[in-house]
């Protein structure tokens, strides 16, 4: 943990600003319950919040701690004990695997909430400007201290590796990047062939004797495969941008290919057994897709109420 005195010096955080924050504490204490309620409304939008706040007991404890932290934000006494308190919070975040962008985003809400309430209640413009400066600094200092735990955790892991392990890790990361780019190119090629298949089915629809009904169903099946390929490309782009990789997209592609077969076979009376097998596989894939995506689309608040 960085020395708290040097940290305050780097932010040019003065005694006068500490006193200004102390003057704000009574007003912010009155708003503490409102802050906690709105804070919870905000963090439920993160998607994975319920993974960390699993039941009512944890939520009740967390709400209490958030309220304490918010009131202490304006305590006016930012000594070693205060910074140790913040650092321990950061260590808890690291231990439970809380993503750093959750912390950063949450602080955006804190900043907006405090500044909005200051803006609505100021009387003296010059003093109001000093309030804003003090609030901005203490919020940034808190964020800096909390996220320092993440930096030290990553640094500690890296420094604990031997030179060979570091080289292997670096090499694997590069290799993984190349594989991802190769996969993106392969998906683009698949989409290109899917377009070709769609065009070929259109051609057969007008220039073959396969029948209008079968031709339309075949075209619809090809269009479904093309849509699934585009969805895969979209997910791979998200992955390259640092987001999670969605296995659900591959499941959708498999379902699209099977549904295309169903559309084609549905006009044949000789394919009954095959259709039954394909239907069972599609149901299995649909269940798998539901299990993979349920956490993404279900309201997190419903899981703990």
């Amino acid at each position: 943990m960085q020395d708290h005195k040097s940290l305050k010096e780097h932010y040019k955080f003065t005694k006068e600003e500490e006193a200004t924050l102390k003057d704000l504490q009574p007003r912010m204490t009155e708003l503490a319950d409102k802050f906690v309620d709105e804070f919870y409304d905000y963090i439920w939008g993160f998607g994975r919040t319920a993974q960390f706040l699993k039941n009512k007991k944890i939520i009740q404890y967390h709400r209490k701690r958030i309220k304490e932290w918010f009131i202490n934000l304006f305590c006016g006494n930012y000594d070693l004990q205060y910074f140790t308190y913040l650092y321990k919070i950061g260590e808890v975040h690291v231990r439970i695997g809380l993503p750093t962008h959750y912390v950063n985003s949450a602080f955006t809400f804190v900043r907006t909430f405090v500044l909005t309430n200051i803006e609505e209640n100021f009387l003296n413009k010059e003093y109001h400007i000093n309030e804003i400066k003090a609030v901005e600094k203490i919020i940034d200092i808190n964020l800096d201290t909390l996220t320092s735990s993440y930096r030290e955790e990553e640094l500690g892991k890296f420094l604990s590796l031997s030179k060979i392990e570091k080289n292997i890790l670096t090499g694997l990361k590069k290799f993984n990047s190349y594989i991802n780019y190769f996969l993106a190119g392969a998906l683009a090629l698949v989409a290109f062939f899917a377009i070709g298949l769609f065009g070929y089915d259109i051609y057969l629809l007008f220039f073959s004797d396969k029948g209008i009904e079968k031709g339309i169903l075949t075209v619809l099946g090809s269009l479904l495969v093309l849509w699934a390929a585009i969805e895969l490309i979209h997910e791979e782009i998200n992955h390259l941008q640092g987001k999670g990789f969605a296995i659900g997209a591959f499941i959708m592609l498999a379902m699209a290919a099977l549904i295309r077969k169903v559309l084609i076979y549905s006009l044949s009376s000789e394919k009954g057994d095959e259709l039954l097998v394909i239907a069972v596989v599609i149901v299995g894939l649909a269940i798998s897709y539901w299990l993979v995506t349920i956490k993404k689309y279900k309201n997190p608040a419903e899981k703990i109420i």
Side-chain angles (χ1 to χ4, degrees):
M1 180 176 69
Q2 185 177 357
D3 177 62
H4 73 285
K5 292 182 179 179
S6 63
L7 185 63
K8 289 163 67 174
E9 288 175 0
H10 293 163
Y11 281 94
K12 294 180 170 54
F13 190 56
T14 65
K15 291 290 184 181
E16 290 75 16
E17 287 168 334
E18 291 184 359
T20 299
L21 291 169
K22 182 64 177 177
D23 291 340
L24 283 171
Q25 191 177 47
R27 192 193 315 172
M28 293 301 155
T29 301
E30 293 177 1
L31 294 169
D33 290 328
K34 178 184 177 183
F35 168 80
V36 174
D37 290 338
E38 293 185 10
F39 180 82
Y40 260 71
D41 290 339
Y42 184 83
I43 64 175
W44 282 128
F46 291 164
R48 291 174 54 202
T49 305
Q51 177 181 331
F52 306 101
L53 302 174
K54 298 178 180 179
N55 54 57
K56 290 183 178 180
K57 184 177 180 180
I58 294 176
I59 291 174
Q60 186 178 8
Y61 175 79
H62 184 253
R63 288 176 67 95
K64 178 182 176 182
R65 301 295 288 180
I66 287 293
K67 183 177 179 179
E68 290 176 358
W69 171 83
F70 180 70
I71 294 173
N72 284 334
L73 190 65
F74 306 93
C75 67
N77 183 25
Y78 307 100
D79 54 10
L80 178 60
Q81 183 178 355
Y82 179 81
F83 281 89
T84 302
Y85 162 73
L86 293 180
Y87 190 77
K88 288 181 178 179
I89 294 175
E91 286 184 327
V92 172
H93 290 170
V94 172
R95 187 170 67 250
I96 66 175
L98 185 70
T100 52
H101 66 272
Y102 280 19
V103 179
N104 294 330
S105 180
F107 267 82
T108 297
F109 167 79
V110 175
R111 191 187 309 273
T112 303
F113 179 89
V114 175
L115 293 179
T116 299
N117 283 281
I118 291 176
E119 189 71 29
E120 293 173 351
N121 295 281
F122 83 92
L123 298 175
N124 182 285
K125 185 175 181 180
E126 182 178 353
Y127 188 74
H128 175 59
I129 293 174
N130 292 332
E131 286 180 328
I132 293 175
K133 289 180 179 179
V135 167
E136 291 278 9
K137 288 182 182 181
I138 194 58
I139 289 177
D140 286 338
I141 288 172
N142 268 253
L143 182 59
D144 195 335
T145 306
L146 289 175
T147 54
S148 67
S149 300
Y150 290 90
R151 296 192 297 270
E152 291 176 13
E153 174 77 8
E154 291 298 321
L155 183 61
K157 288 180 180 179
F158 189 74
L159 292 177
S160 65
L161 299 175
S162 66
K163 185 176 181 180
I164 295 177
E165 289 173 328
K166 290 178 183 178
N167 290 334
I168 292 175
L169 181 61
T170 303
L172 286 174
K173 287 182 178 179
K174 289 182 179 179
F175 180 72
N176 183 60
S177 298
Y178 296 145
I179 291 295
N180 279 320
Y181 288 124
F182 172 78
L183 181 58
L187 288 173
L189 189 62
V190 169
F192 175 78
F193 282 118
I195 293 172
L197 178 62
F198 176 72
Y200 179 68
D201 286 337
I202 290 288
Y203 170 80
L204 292 179
L205 175 63
F206 291 102
F207 300 102
S208 72
D209 56 355
K210 67 183 335 183
I212 188 71
E213 186 178 6
K214 185 176 181 180
I216 291 175
L217 290 177
T218 303
V219 169
L220 286 175
S222 301
L223 191 61
L224 190 62
V225 172
L226 177 59
W227 169 78
I230 292 172
E231 185 67 20
L232 271 176
I233 293 174
H234 174 71
E235 293 297 339
E236 178 61 17
I237 291 173
N238 287 339
H239 181 58
L240 290 173
Q241 291 176 341
K243 300 178 182 178
F245 190 77
I247 190 65
F250 281 97
I251 298 176
M252 279 196 300
L253 180 60
M255 286 194 294
L258 290 173
I259 291 172
R260 181 177 183 272
K261 280 195 172 185
V262 170
L263 291 174
I264 296 173
Y265 288 173
S266 62
L267 299 177
S268 174
S269 58
E270 301 176 357
K271 302 288 186 178
D273 293 340
E274 291 186 35
L275 279 173
L276 183 60
V277 173
I278 293 174
V280 172
V281 175
I282 290 175
V283 170
L285 288 172
I287 293 173
S288 300
Y289 182 77
W290 177 75
L291 291 173
V292 167
T293 57
I294 184 172
K295 290 185 178 180
K296 180 178 179 181
Y297 295 105
K298 189 174 181 180
N299 183 0
E302 294 176 356
K303 299 181 183 180
I304 56 175
I305 293 175

